[in-house]
Amino acid sequence: MSDPLLKTPLHQAHIEAGARMVPFAGYDMPVQYKDGVLKEHLWTREHAGAFDVSHMGPAFLTLTDKSGDAEADHAAIAAIAETLVCGDVRGLKPGQLRYTLLLNAEGGMVDDLMIGRPLRADRQGMLYIVVNAGTKDGDFGLFEKAAAGKATLTRADDRGLIALQGPKAGAVLAEILPESAELGFMQFRRVEHEGHGLVVSRSGYTGEDGFEILVPASITEAFWNRLLADERVRPIGLGARDSLRLEAGLPLYGHDADETVSPIEAGLAFAVSKRRLKAQDFPGAARVAAEAAGELERVRVGLRVLQGAPAREGAPIANPAGHEVGVVTSGGFAPSLSAPIAMGFVPPALSAPGTRLDVIVRGKAQAAEVVAMPFVPHRYLRKS
């Protein structure tokens, strides 16, 4: 008998809102609400969508013995994290968040994650970490092993984590948490709200400006309802979350990335620190360095499907001669473009925008074209 599905602090709110619930990463999660995926997607692109992402894995990694020297303490906690990831954790500025990758010894991606350095001087020697839902137990095990005797990992996945995404997200959240207006893309801070500490980051995975807010479980539903009381905000399910991130050209771990895929193959070279690549001091560095130098057999590309039905995950990609050259890893209909799009892996020689390929859907070859990503431009709010 399989384990019962876990529930987030917003589970009852989803039921009462009429959400269609599905199993996802061990949780019972809303895939869509009454409006349906298409309307939820377009609402987020035009207004603000609230997403329950409480199934993900937030945590705090804290030095066991701090020196009191903020820079030394940050360097010490960063050194622990850098044994696992390829990003420049040491170089984080106070209040900065960074997208990085957990790698295995072969340079394959164990997970993608966010790591942030707290803003306040008295919280140096701590890192805020958010990993994916499906891999969080394994990820946390790696951090605990790396930190043994030097730091403590405190899981926060019993709290609520809410994403508010879309062009109106900034104005909506500023009315509830005025400090959020001071944040630029990939910045975060702890804020006080009605006697509770919240962690607010200006980040997300839709390509839109937006936030992720870590909220104590006891007030998660009240905070969710306060967001939804704003007429600019509607609840959004997993269905639209997936189509939004696909349009944004963002890989989904477990689909477009796994332990066989390197950062370079996945088109995530920006997540590999130049300093770390030069030093080759992270797991799988030799493979990553060789691929960064051009020794690459496959690469993730964006595809515009020019005819027929959307190509879903697992659909073969063929060259015009009919020979299979790759596979689709994510695909679907793009509501913002009114067209089917996909992502997949092909040899580098076939990765240039404009390259004509076919996707094989139900045994039939359909014309497709390699296009630059993102499919829909990102609208992150960057501040100096």
Side-chain angles (χ1 to χ4, degrees), residues 155-196:
R155 294 177 63 151
D157 52 344
D158 58 344
R159 304 187 198 181
L161 187 62
I162 297 171
L164 184 67
Q165 302 281 295
K168 305 291 178 61
V172 170
L173 194 62
E175 292 183 8
I176 304 172
L177 304 173
E179 302 97 322
S180 65
E182 300 171 13
L183 297 173
F185 181 57
M186 298 300 278
Q187 294 178 332
F188 81 108
R189 65 176 55 178
R190 186 179 188 275
V191 302
E192 294 295 323
H193 174 66
E194 299 179 346
H196 299 275

mmCIF file of all heavy atoms in Angstrom, residues 155-196:
data_model
loop_
_atom_site.group_PDB
_atom_site.id
_atom_site.type_symbol
_atom_site.label_atom_id
_atom_site.label_comp_id
_atom_site.label_asym_id
_atom_site.label_seq_id
_atom_site.Cartn_x
_atom_site.Cartn_y
_atom_site.Cartn_z
ATOM 1 N N ARG A 155 14.879 22.132 8.771
ATOM 2 C CA ARG A 155 13.857 22.098 7.716
ATOM 3 C C ARG A 155 12.699 23.020 8.072
ATOM 4 O O ARG A 155 12.319 23.146 9.230
ATOM 5 C CB ARG A 155 13.346 20.663 7.517
ATOM 6 C CG ARG A 155 14.402 19.719 6.986
ATOM 7 C CD ARG A 155 13.918 18.285 6.866
ATOM 8 N NE ARG A 155 12.816 18.114 5.912
ATOM 9 C CZ ARG A 155 12.601 16.982 5.242
ATOM 10 N NH1 ARG A 155 13.414 15.941 5.405
ATOM 11 N NH2 ARG A 155 11.581 16.882 4.414
ATOM 12 N N ALA A 156 12.162 23.651 7.050
ATOM 13 C CA ALA A 156 11.011 24.546 7.251
ATOM 14 C C ALA A 156 9.863 24.141 6.338
ATOM 15 O O ALA A 156 8.992 24.952 6.026
ATOM 16 C CB ALA A 156 11.417 26.001 6.987
ATOM 17 N N ASP A 157 9.862 22.870 5.917
ATOM 18 C CA ASP A 157 8.821 22.435 4.993
ATOM 19 C C ASP A 157 7.520 22.074 5.695
ATOM 20 O O ASP A 157 6.614 21.533 5.064
ATOM 21 C CB ASP A 157 9.309 21.283 4.098
ATOM 22 C CG ASP A 157 9.906 20.127 4.870
ATOM 23 O OD1 ASP A 157 10.239 20.301 6.059
ATOM 24 O OD2 ASP A 157 10.042 19.047 4.281
ATOM 25 N N ASP A 158 7.425 22.392 6.986
ATOM 26 C CA ASP A 158 6.135 22.310 7.662
ATOM 27 C C ASP A 158 5.414 23.659 7.621
ATOM 28 O O ASP A 158 4.290 23.789 8.095
ATOM 29 C CB ASP A 158 6.314 21.873 9.117
ATOM 30 C CG ASP A 158 7.232 22.807 9.901
ATOM 31 O OD1 ASP A 158 7.966 23.603 9.269
ATOM 32 O OD2 ASP A 158 7.213 22.736 11.146
ATOM 33 N N ARG A 159 6.057 24.654 7.049
ATOM 34 C CA ARG A 159 5.447 25.981 6.928
ATOM 35 C C ARG A 159 4.745 26.102 5.568
ATOM 36 O O ARG A 159 4.840 25.229 4.707
ATOM 37 C CB ARG A 159 6.514 27.079 7.033
ATOM 38 C CG ARG A 159 7.349 27.017 8.296
ATOM 39 C CD ARG A 159 8.245 28.230 8.404
ATOM 40 N NE ARG A 159 9.341 28.003 9.348
ATOM 41 C CZ ARG A 159 10.265 28.905 9.641
ATOM 42 N NH1 ARG A 159 10.233 30.099 9.065
ATOM 43 N NH2 ARG A 159 11.230 28.618 10.496
ATOM 44 N N GLY A 160 4.053 27.208 5.381
ATOM 45 C CA GLY A 160 3.445 27.488 4.092
ATOM 46 C C GLY A 160 4.413 28.261 3.216
ATOM 47 O O GLY A 160 5.178 29.097 3.701
ATOM 48 N N LEU A 161 4.425 27.944 1.931
ATOM 49 C CA LEU A 161 5.236 28.686 0.963
ATOM 50 C C LEU A 161 4.303 29.082 -0.183
ATOM 51 O O LEU A 161 3.720 28.215 -0.843
ATOM 52 C CB LEU A 161 6.403 27.840 0.458
ATOM 53 C CG LEU A 161 7.431 28.557 -0.439
ATOM 54 C CD1 LEU A 161 8.108 29.703 0.310
ATOM 55 C CD2 LEU A 161 8.482 27.576 -0.955
ATOM 56 N N ILE A 162 4.142 30.377 -0.360
ATOM 57 C CA ILE A 162 3.199 30.907 -1.344
ATOM 58 C C ILE A 162 3.965 31.712 -2.381
ATOM 59 O O ILE A 162 4.785 32.566 -2.030
ATOM 60 C CB ILE A 162 2.152 31.818 -0.657
ATOM 61 C CG1 ILE A 162 1.321 31.014 0.345
ATOM 62 C CG2 ILE A 162 1.241 32.465 -1.703
ATOM 63 C CD1 ILE A 162 0.426 31.885 1.225
ATOM 64 N N ALA A 163 3.699 31.438 -3.657
ATOM 65 C CA ALA A 163 4.271 32.247 -4.736
ATOM 66 C C ALA A 163 3.202 33.193 -5.254
ATOM 67 O O ALA A 163 2.072 32.769 -5.507
ATOM 68 C CB ALA A 163 4.785 31.343 -5.863
ATOM 69 N N LEU A 164 3.554 34.450 -5.381
ATOM 70 C CA LEU A 164 2.665 35.453 -5.963
ATOM 71 C C LEU A 164 3.371 35.989 -7.203
ATOM 72 O O LEU A 164 4.439 36.589 -7.105
ATOM 73 C CB LEU A 164 2.399 36.580 -4.964
ATOM 74 C CG LEU A 164 1.402 37.646 -5.432
ATOM 75 C CD1 LEU A 164 0.004 37.066 -5.554
ATOM 76 C CD2 LEU A 164 1.397 38.838 -4.472
ATOM 77 N N GLN A 165 2.808 35.733 -8.364
ATOM 78 C CA GLN A 165 3.499 35.997 -9.628
ATOM 79 C C GLN A 165 2.618 36.805 -10.584
ATOM 80 O O GLN A 165 1.409 36.574 -10.658
ATOM 81 C CB GLN A 165 3.856 34.670 -10.294
ATOM 82 C CG GLN A 165 4.721 33.750 -9.444
ATOM 83 C CD GLN A 165 6.193 34.143 -9.454
ATOM 84 O OE1 GLN A 165 6.846 34.075 -10.483
ATOM 85 N NE2 GLN A 165 6.704 34.563 -8.304
ATOM 86 N N GLY A 166 3.255 37.689 -11.327
ATOM 87 C CA GLY A 166 2.519 38.447 -12.333
ATOM 88 C C GLY A 166 2.806 39.939 -12.238
ATOM 89 O O GLY A 166 3.369 40.412 -11.245
ATOM 90 N N PRO A 167 2.432 40.711 -13.253
ATOM 91 C CA PRO A 167 2.785 42.139 -13.288
ATOM 92 C C PRO A 167 2.164 42.968 -12.164
ATOM 93 O O PRO A 167 2.656 44.051 -11.866
ATOM 94 C CB PRO A 167 2.280 42.584 -14.665
ATOM 95 C CG PRO A 167 1.273 41.560 -15.074
ATOM 96 C CD PRO A 167 1.733 40.275 -14.477
ATOM 97 N N LYS A 168 1.102 42.470 -11.538
ATOM 98 C CA LYS A 168 0.485 43.205 -10.429
ATOM 99 C C LYS A 168 0.970 42.712 -9.066
ATOM 100 O O LYS A 168 0.551 43.241 -8.040
ATOM 101 C CB LYS A 168 -1.041 43.074 -10.517
ATOM 102 C CG LYS A 168 -1.659 43.509 -11.852
ATOM 103 C CD LYS A 168 -1.561 44.996 -12.050
ATOM 104 C CE LYS A 168 -2.138 45.425 -13.408
ATOM 105 N NZ LYS A 168 -3.546 45.117 -13.573
ATOM 106 N N ALA A 169 1.835 41.705 -9.051
ATOM 107 C CA ALA A 169 2.252 41.090 -7.782
ATOM 108 C C ALA A 169 2.939 42.104 -6.864
ATOM 109 O O ALA A 169 2.691 42.129 -5.654
ATOM 110 C CB ALA A 169 3.181 39.906 -8.050
ATOM 111 N N GLY A 170 3.806 42.942 -7.423
ATOM 112 C CA GLY A 170 4.539 43.900 -6.610
ATOM 113 C C GLY A 170 3.613 44.872 -5.900
ATOM 114 O O GLY A 170 3.766 45.144 -4.697
ATOM 115 N N ALA A 171 2.628 45.397 -6.623
ATOM 116 C CA ALA A 171 1.699 46.363 -6.032
ATOM 117 C C ALA A 171 0.814 45.697 -4.984
ATOM 118 O O ALA A 171 0.523 46.290 -3.930
ATOM 119 C CB ALA A 171 0.842 46.979 -7.137
ATOM 120 N N VAL A 172 0.393 44.458 -5.253
ATOM 121 C CA VAL A 172 -0.459 43.746 -4.297
ATOM 122 C C VAL A 172 0.286 43.494 -2.999
ATOM 123 O O VAL A 172 -0.205 43.796 -1.903
ATOM 124 C CB VAL A 172 -0.934 42.409 -4.906
ATOM 125 C CG1 VAL A 172 -1.598 41.550 -3.841
ATOM 126 C CG2 VAL A 172 -1.890 42.663 -6.065
ATOM 127 N N LEU A 173 1.495 42.943 -3.098
ATOM 128 C CA LEU A 173 2.211 42.557 -1.878
ATOM 129 C C LEU A 173 2.677 43.775 -1.087
ATOM 130 O O LEU A 173 2.726 43.734 0.146
ATOM 131 C CB LEU A 173 3.401 41.658 -2.226
ATOM 132 C CG LEU A 173 4.001 40.926 -1.024
ATOM 133 C CD1 LEU A 173 2.974 39.988 -0.385
ATOM 134 C CD2 LEU A 173 5.233 40.140 -1.421
ATOM 135 N N ALA A 174 2.984 44.872 -1.776
ATOM 136 C CA ALA A 174 3.445 46.077 -1.076
ATOM 137 C C ALA A 174 2.366 46.626 -0.147
ATOM 138 O O ALA A 174 2.678 47.286 0.849
ATOM 139 C CB ALA A 174 3.869 47.135 -2.086
ATOM 140 N N GLU A 175 1.104 46.359 -0.440
ATOM 141 C CA GLU A 175 0.031 46.835 0.437
ATOM 142 C C GLU A 175 -0.048 46.012 1.723
ATOM 143 O O GLU A 175 -0.568 46.479 2.725
ATOM 144 C CB GLU A 175 -1.310 46.777 -0.307
ATOM 145 C CG GLU A 175 -1.392 47.775 -1.458
ATOM 146 C CD GLU A 175 -2.753 47.766 -2.146
ATOM 147 O OE1 GLU A 175 -3.671 47.096 -1.632
ATOM 148 O OE2 GLU A 175 -2.877 48.420 -3.192
ATOM 149 N N ILE A 176 0.467 44.791 1.693
ATOM 150 C CA ILE A 176 0.449 43.930 2.882
ATOM 151 C C ILE A 176 1.801 43.953 3.584
ATOM 152 O O ILE A 176 1.882 44.034 4.810
ATOM 153 C CB ILE A 176 0.089 42.482 2.478
ATOM 154 C CG1 ILE A 176 -1.247 42.455 1.730
ATOM 155 C CG2 ILE A 176 0.043 41.593 3.709
ATOM 156 C CD1 ILE A 176 -1.582 41.105 1.130
ATOM 157 N N LEU A 177 2.874 43.880 2.801
ATOM 158 C CA LEU A 177 4.243 43.874 3.322
ATOM 159 C C LEU A 177 5.017 44.986 2.621
ATOM 160 O O LEU A 177 5.657 44.766 1.586
ATOM 161 C CB LEU A 177 4.919 42.526 3.052
ATOM 162 C CG LEU A 177 4.214 41.269 3.575
ATOM 163 C CD1 LEU A 177 4.937 40.011 3.079
ATOM 164 C CD2 LEU A 177 4.144 41.273 5.096
ATOM 165 N N PRO A 178 4.968 46.220 3.141
ATOM 166 C CA PRO A 178 5.610 47.348 2.443
ATOM 167 C C PRO A 178 7.094 47.129 2.145
ATOM 168 O O PRO A 178 7.602 47.610 1.132
ATOM 169 C CB PRO A 178 5.406 48.515 3.432
ATOM 170 C CG PRO A 178 4.182 48.134 4.214
ATOM 171 C CD PRO A 178 4.249 46.649 4.354
ATOM 172 N N GLU A 179 7.784 46.355 3.001
ATOM 173 C CA GLU A 179 9.218 46.133 2.782
ATOM 174 C C GLU A 179 9.487 45.375 1.481
ATOM 175 O O GLU A 179 10.594 45.434 0.934
ATOM 176 C CB GLU A 179 9.819 45.338 3.940
ATOM 177 C CG GLU A 179 9.647 45.992 5.300
ATOM 178 C CD GLU A 179 8.442 45.437 6.042
ATOM 179 O OE1 GLU A 179 7.414 45.167 5.376
ATOM 180 O OE2 GLU A 179 8.531 45.284 7.274
ATOM 181 N N SER A 180 8.500 44.658 0.985
ATOM 182 C CA SER A 180 8.707 43.872 -0.234
ATOM 183 C C SER A 180 9.025 44.758 -1.432
ATOM 184 O O SER A 180 9.682 44.332 -2.373
ATOM 185 C CB SER A 180 7.473 43.007 -0.537
ATOM 186 O OG SER A 180 6.345 43.817 -0.838
ATOM 187 N N ALA A 181 8.576 46.016 -1.389
ATOM 188 C CA ALA A 181 8.813 46.924 -2.511
ATOM 189 C C ALA A 181 10.289 47.276 -2.659
ATOM 190 O O ALA A 181 10.724 47.746 -3.716
ATOM 191 C CB ALA A 181 7.989 48.193 -2.333
ATOM 192 N N GLU A 182 11.066 47.060 -1.599
ATOM 193 C CA GLU A 182 12.496 47.382 -1.648
ATOM 194 C C GLU A 182 13.316 46.284 -2.322
ATOM 195 O O GLU A 182 14.488 46.488 -2.625
ATOM 196 C CB GLU A 182 13.013 47.610 -0.227
ATOM 197 C CG GLU A 182 12.292 48.752 0.499
ATOM 198 C CD GLU A 182 12.671 48.816 1.974
ATOM 199 O OE1 GLU A 182 13.647 48.149 2.356
ATOM 200 O OE2 GLU A 182 11.986 49.519 2.730
ATOM 201 N N LEU A 183 12.699 45.142 -2.549
ATOM 202 C CA LEU A 183 13.435 44.002 -3.095
ATOM 203 C C LEU A 183 13.495 44.043 -4.611
ATOM 204 O O LEU A 183 12.507 44.347 -5.280
ATOM 205 C CB LEU A 183 12.769 42.692 -2.663
ATOM 206 C CG LEU A 183 12.721 42.385 -1.173
ATOM 207 C CD1 LEU A 183 11.881 41.133 -0.926
ATOM 208 C CD2 LEU A 183 14.134 42.187 -0.621
ATOM 209 N N GLY A 184 14.653 43.723 -5.165
ATOM 210 C CA GLY A 184 14.804 43.479 -6.585
ATOM 211 C C GLY A 184 14.864 41.985 -6.842
ATOM 212 O O GLY A 184 14.910 41.175 -5.901
ATOM 213 N N PHE A 185 14.884 41.619 -8.109
ATOM 214 C CA PHE A 185 14.930 40.196 -8.479
ATOM 215 C C PHE A 185 16.111 39.503 -7.803
ATOM 216 O O PHE A 185 17.235 40.007 -7.830
ATOM 217 C CB PHE A 185 15.050 40.090 -9.997
ATOM 218 C CG PHE A 185 15.081 38.685 -10.516
ATOM 219 C CD1 PHE A 185 14.049 37.796 -10.246
ATOM 220 C CD2 PHE A 185 16.143 38.243 -11.290
ATOM 221 C CE1 PHE A 185 14.073 36.497 -10.734
ATOM 222 C CE2 PHE A 185 16.177 36.951 -11.795
ATOM 223 C CZ PHE A 185 15.138 36.078 -11.503
ATOM 224 N N MET A 186 15.833 38.366 -7.192
ATOM 225 C CA MET A 186 16.805 37.526 -6.497
ATOM 226 C C MET A 186 17.381 38.199 -5.247
ATOM 227 O O MET A 186 18.545 38.004 -4.899
ATOM 228 C CB MET A 186 17.917 37.074 -7.450
ATOM 229 C CG MET A 186 17.413 36.234 -8.602
ATOM 230 S SD MET A 186 16.576 34.715 -8.063
ATOM 231 C CE MET A 186 17.969 33.631 -7.774
ATOM 232 N N GLN A 187 16.527 38.982 -4.589
ATOM 233 C CA GLN A 187 16.857 39.493 -3.267
ATOM 234 C C GLN A 187 15.790 38.989 -2.294
ATOM 235 O O GLN A 187 14.639 38.753 -2.685
ATOM 236 C CB GLN A 187 16.896 41.023 -3.264
ATOM 237 C CG GLN A 187 18.027 41.600 -4.110
ATOM 238 C CD GLN A 187 18.027 43.112 -4.132
ATOM 239 O OE1 GLN A 187 16.995 43.752 -3.977
ATOM 240 N NE2 GLN A 187 19.190 43.694 -4.337
ATOM 241 N N PHE A 188 16.157 38.840 -1.024
ATOM 242 C CA PHE A 188 15.192 38.363 -0.041
ATOM 243 C C PHE A 188 15.521 38.953 1.313
ATOM 244 O O PHE A 188 16.619 39.455 1.559
ATOM 245 C CB PHE A 188 15.196 36.827 0.023
ATOM 246 C CG PHE A 188 16.313 36.239 0.858
ATOM 247 C CD1 PHE A 188 16.048 35.654 2.081
ATOM 248 C CD2 PHE A 188 17.636 36.271 0.417
ATOM 249 C CE1 PHE A 188 17.065 35.104 2.859
ATOM 250 C CE2 PHE A 188 18.660 35.740 1.176
ATOM 251 C CZ PHE A 188 18.373 35.151 2.405
ATOM 252 N N ARG A 189 14.521 38.910 2.209
ATOM 253 C CA ARG A 189 14.739 39.350 3.580
ATOM 254 C C ARG A 189 13.642 38.789 4.491
ATOM 255 O O ARG A 189 12.594 38.363 4.020
ATOM 256 C CB ARG A 189 14.759 40.873 3.689
ATOM 257 C CG ARG A 189 13.454 41.558 3.351
ATOM 258 C CD ARG A 189 13.545 43.044 3.583
ATOM 259 N NE ARG A 189 14.663 43.643 2.846
ATOM 260 C CZ ARG A 189 14.937 44.944 2.855
ATOM 261 N NH1 ARG A 189 14.183 45.765 3.577
ATOM 262 N NH2 ARG A 189 15.937 45.429 2.176
ATOM 263 N N ARG A 190 13.925 38.823 5.770
ATOM 264 C CA ARG A 190 12.932 38.443 6.762
ATOM 265 C C ARG A 190 12.146 39.688 7.141
ATOM 266 O O ARG A 190 12.739 40.736 7.411
ATOM 267 C CB ARG A 190 13.625 37.852 7.991
ATOM 268 C CG ARG A 190 12.688 37.290 9.054
ATOM 269 C CD ARG A 190 13.511 36.717 10.201
ATOM 270 N NE ARG A 190 12.685 36.008 11.169
ATOM 271 C CZ ARG A 190 12.045 36.568 12.171
ATOM 272 N NH1 ARG A 190 12.122 37.882 12.344
ATOM 273 N NH2 ARG A 190 11.324 35.828 13.008
ATOM 274 N N VAL A 191 10.828 39.602 7.147
ATOM 275 C CA VAL A 191 9.985 40.742 7.508
ATOM 276 C C VAL A 191 9.020 40.308 8.610
ATOM 277 O O VAL A 191 8.674 39.130 8.735
ATOM 278 C CB VAL A 191 9.206 41.286 6.295
ATOM 279 C CG1 VAL A 191 10.152 41.695 5.187
ATOM 280 C CG2 VAL A 191 8.203 40.273 5.785
ATOM 281 N N GLU A 192 8.601 41.276 9.416
ATOM 282 C CA GLU A 192 7.631 41.009 10.468
ATOM 283 C C GLU A 192 6.228 41.307 9.953
ATOM 284 O O GLU A 192 6.005 42.324 9.286
ATOM 285 C CB GLU A 192 7.938 41.880 11.697
ATOM 286 C CG GLU A 192 9.256 41.545 12.377
ATOM 287 C CD GLU A 192 9.268 40.146 12.982
ATOM 288 O OE1 GLU A 192 8.208 39.716 13.501
ATOM 289 O OE2 GLU A 192 10.325 39.481 12.930
ATOM 290 N N HIS A 193 5.301 40.405 10.253
ATOM 291 C CA HIS A 193 3.916 40.595 9.832
ATOM 292 C C HIS A 193 2.995 40.118 10.947
ATOM 293 O O HIS A 193 2.931 38.916 11.221
ATOM 294 C CB HIS A 193 3.640 39.797 8.544
ATOM 295 C CG HIS A 193 2.203 39.828 8.112
ATOM 296 N ND1 HIS A 193 1.576 40.975 7.682
ATOM 297 C CD2 HIS A 193 1.267 38.835 8.047
ATOM 298 C CE1 HIS A 193 0.325 40.695 7.364
ATOM 299 N NE2 HIS A 193 0.112 39.414 7.589
ATOM 300 N N GLU A 194 2.355 41.074 11.611
ATOM 301 C CA GLU A 194 1.399 40.775 12.675
ATOM 302 C C GLU A 194 1.997 39.833 13.718
ATOM 303 O O GLU A 194 1.354 38.851 14.141
ATOM 304 C CB GLU A 194 0.109 40.196 12.081
ATOM 305 C CG GLU A 194 -0.586 41.185 11.131
ATOM 306 C CD GLU A 194 -1.854 40.624 10.510
ATOM 307 O OE1 GLU A 194 -2.058 39.403 10.606
ATOM 308 O OE2 GLU A 194 -2.607 41.411 9.907
ATOM 309 N N GLY A 195 3.244 40.102 14.094
ATOM 310 C CA GLY A 195 3.897 39.330 15.143
ATOM 311 C C GLY A 195 4.569 38.052 14.682
ATOM 312 O O GLY A 195 5.080 37.278 15.510
ATOM 313 N N HIS A 196 4.571 37.831 13.376
ATOM 314 C CA HIS A 196 5.202 36.618 12.831
ATOM 315 C C HIS A 196 6.345 36.989 11.889
ATOM 316 O O HIS A 196 6.273 38.006 11.190
ATOM 317 C CB HIS A 196 4.177 35.787 12.062
ATOM 318 C CG HIS A 196 3.026 35.307 12.902
ATOM 319 N ND1 HIS A 196 3.086 34.159 13.655
ATOM 320 C CD2 HIS A 196 1.789 35.843 13.111
ATOM 321 C CE1 HIS A 196 1.936 33.981 14.286
ATOM 322 N NE2 HIS A 196 1.131 34.992 13.979
#
